[in-house]
Amino acid sequence: SIAILLYLARKFKTPDHWYPSDLQKRARVDEYLSWQHVNIRGKGSKLFLTKVMLPLLTGQPLSPEKLEGVTEELNIVLKQFEEKFLQDKPFIAGSEISLADLVALVELMQPVGAGYNLFEERPKLAEWRRRVEEAVGKQLFQEAHEGILNIKNL
């Protein structure tokens, strides 16, 4: 999906902030997009799968110890994300939203859909989420995440 996003940004000549032409900003976007596969995506998806999908398929709830371990793995990468990528900037690549922010927030919504409010005790992360939502539009954001946020209704 990352390859498709980059293709679309280039093909349709999207506004520069999505995939910046400035090499330093683009490097930040590329760095995040490479890092997130085994970190945010890997740990967020693991929490979602073990907390929602596995019990749904097996009919057995996840043990509290297993859930605690999976949650701690996610917490470690969230801390890395805040310290390494967000730092004190409004967005990952600087002052404007980019594909990196979009991809990051989409991946973080899986654990939220599983009932883990990872923004609750992380004000920096919560403020970043608010900025990303505002940049794409709150209604579009809600429409895009409606399925994952209502997954427990299955």
Side-chain angles (χ1 to χ4, degrees), residues 61-77:
L62 191 64
S63 75
E65 297 82 22
K66 177 82 170 169
L67 183 58
E68 185 178 319
V70 172
T71 303
E72 184 53 35
E73 288 177 5
L74 178 58
N75 287 334
I76 290 168
V77 297

Side-chain angles (χ1 to χ4, degrees), residues 133 136-146:
E133 281 186 43
V136 298
K138 287 185 183 267
Q139 183 176 345
L140 178 60
F141 182 85
Q142 289 303 317
E143 285 177 32
H145 293 95
E146 187 175 348

Side-chain angles (χ1 to χ4, degrees), residues 34-86:
S34 294
W35 177 85
Q36 65 92 27
H37 289 289
V38 295
N39 292 286
I40 296 290
R41 175 180 286 169
K43 307 308 184 217
S45 294
K46 186 175 182 181
L47 181 87
F48 178 79
L49 291 172
T50 56
K51 191 170 179 185
V52 176
M53 297 306 292
L54 201 56
L56 193 65
L57 295 172
T58 65
Q60 301 294 315
L62 191 64
S63 75
E65 297 82 22
K66 177 82 170 169
L67 183 58
E68 185 178 319
V70 172
T71 303
E72 184 53 35
E73 288 177 5
L74 178 58
N75 287 334
I76 290 168
V77 297
L78 290 173
K79 185 174 191 254
Q80 292 171 347
F81 175 67
E82 285 184 309
E83 292 174 357
K84 171 80 173 143
F85 292 100
L86 288 183

